Amino acid sequence: MEKYAVGVDIGGTTVKIGLFTIEGKVLSKWEIETRKESNGKYILSDIAKSLDEEFAKQHIEKDEVKSIGVGVPGPVTEDGKVLGCVNIGWDVFNIEEALIKETGICVKAGNDANVAALGELWQGGGKGCSNMVMVTLGTGVGGGIIVNGKIIAGTNGAAGEIGHITVCKDEKEACNCGKHGCLEQYTSATGIVRLAVNALKTTDKESGLRKFDVITAKDVFDLAKSGDQLALEIVDHFADTLGSALAQISCVVDPEIIVIGGGVSKAGEIITDNVKKYYQKNAFHASRNTEFRLALLGNDAGIYGAAKLGIDK
């Protein structure tokens, strides 16, 4: 009888792995090094070896494991083909077929941001919902779209790339993706710092931001919470940009809930309250009452979502 599922979240530094019950209780979680040498050829065999060791420790037979779900830092097609992962050295290959050969267990793979969104829907900020948009605000901006409980991955596994929606056609500075004016340039942690640096250059207003040699997004939100006027203006710019973009997304997918995660989301309700204000201002009337919540699973969202992805295969 199948009682267990495995969730694997492959990152550039470590591979996070979780062992779950089918119902969603995490039994154990651990990390192994992501060995990127030789174009990442050892990553899957290292995962298989680590799983064998954990199964032995937990006295679990492989026929008790329903599936292995995997979150991959790159686009993945519906049939399991990875379309290149530059930061771990992978080219194009079918990860599901390769990991099945290594483990003998059913495998389902998806893009890591999409998979993290599924994790939040299953056991996190989106629990109890079926239709969700998740946006992750970190060094960049990622996202995931869930409709009727299923990830919307798209033809090339690139659906949900919320951070690369164009929000400013006049932007002169290039985004990391090569385009100009992407959402990521204004609402990621680095984007918020960029807004702050530009604001300090273009105004003489007094602000606690001027005391920092190196500004962080946390500094901006902390000062805004204390009433610093310039910091409040930067947060307002951030919230207007993100809320307006999410309103456009809602015209396409009409989500029940929008979950905001990533390191920036640790600022809390100052983000959800302000973003929701601009969302409601710009949203189509039928979607105006979409609920906003903060993500709950943190760095574990990927392993939860990967496990759920495998269970649902």
Side-chain angles (χ1 to χ4, degrees):
M1 182 178 176
E2 295 170 337
K3 303 176 183 178
Y4 308 104
V6 172
V8 179
D9 183 14
I10 300 174
T13 304
T14 62
V15 178
K16 298 179 180 67
I17 307 174
L19 177 66
F20 295 81
T21 65
I22 298 297
E23 295 74 30
K25 179 183 178 182
V26 62
L27 300 176
S28 61
K29 58 182 182 178
W30 66 100
E31 297 182 5
I32 61 174
E33 180 188 357
T34 304
R35 289 205 287 160
K36 293 179 283 189
E37 61 265 32
S38 303
N39 294 320
K41 68 179 288 187
Y42 304 110
I43 294 173
L44 297 186
S45 58
D46 285 350
I47 291 169
K49 179 182 177 183
S50 184
L51 287 175
D52 284 343
E53 291 170 354
E54 185 66 18
F55 294 157
K57 190 194 313 185
Q58 300 281 351
H59 305 291
I60 291 173
E61 299 295 330
K62 282 191 177 181
D63 61 7
E64 296 180 289
V65 181
K66 176 178 174 59
S67 57
I68 300 169
V70 186
V72 176
V76 183
T77 63
E78 180 61 29
D79 63 355
K81 186 183 293 181
V82 174
L83 302 180
C85 296
V86 176
N87 63 339
I88 57 176
W90 283 352
D91 200 351
V92 177
F93 76 108
N94 193 301
I95 186 174
E96 293 177 6
E97 292 176 357
L99 193 53
I100 287 170
K101 287 180 181 177
E102 292 281 354
T103 63
I105 299 171
C106 176
V107 176
K108 183 63 180 173
N111 169 264
D112 55 359
N114 291 337
V115 164
L118 186 61
E120 287 290 343
L121 184 83
W122 188 34
Q123 299 292 343
K127 190 172 183 178
C129 300
S130 299
N131 299 292
M132 183 185 86
V133 170
M134 182 172 172
V135 56
T136 53
L137 309 174
T139 305
V141 172
I145 297 169
I146 312 291
V147 175
N148 294 330
K150 302 293 184 182
I151 292 171
I152 302 300
T155 303
N156 301 301
E161 287 288 356
I162 291 168
H164 300 291
I165 294 172
T166 301
V167 295
C168 180
K169 292 183 179 179
D170 298 325
E171 178 60 56
K172 300 295 188 291
E173 196 172 316
C175 176
N176 286 334
C177 76
K179 289 171 42 181
H180 293 75
C182 290
L183 181 66
E184 184 172 293
Q185 291 182 270
Y186 311 94
T187 60
S188 63
T190 49
I192 294 162
V193 169
R194 180 171 165 268
L195 292 179
V197 170
N198 289 340
L200 290 171
K201 288 178 181 176
T202 55
T203 181
D204 293 329
K205 286 182 181 178
E206 287 298 318
S207 172
L209 290 169
R210 297 190 186 279
K211 71 181 182 181
F212 296 104
D213 293 327
V214 179
I215 298 169
T216 67
K218 182 178 184 298
D219 296 330
V220 174
F221 285 108
D222 285 347
L223 283 168
K225 290 175 186 177
S226 72
D228 185 284
Q229 188 57 41
L230 187 59
L232 283 167
E233 290 175 13
I234 295 163
V235 170
D236 193 65
H237 186 170
F238 152 85
D240 187 357
T241 306
L242 182 55
S244 299
L246 290 171
Q248 308 318 307
I249 293 168
S250 76
C251 288
V252 180
V253 298
D254 187 23
E256 182 180 358
I257 187 170
I258 293 173
V259 174
I260 300 179
V264 173
S265 72
K266 293 177 182 177
E269 292 182 358
I270 190 173
I271 291 182
T272 49
D273 290 349
N274 282 282
V275 172
K276 184 176 182 178
K277 175 179 69 175
Y278 284 105
Y279 171 87
Q280 291 181 327
K281 179 181 176 181
N282 291 282
F284 181 63
H285 66 86
S287 302
R288 204 163 284 152
N289 292 321
T290 297
E291 187 179 355
F292 277 71
R293 293 183 199 164
L294 294 169
L296 298 178
L297 298 178
N299 290 333
D300 288 342
I303 57 171
Y304 274 88
K308 180 61 171 170
L309 187 69
I311 290 168
D312 288 347
K313 180 172 179 178

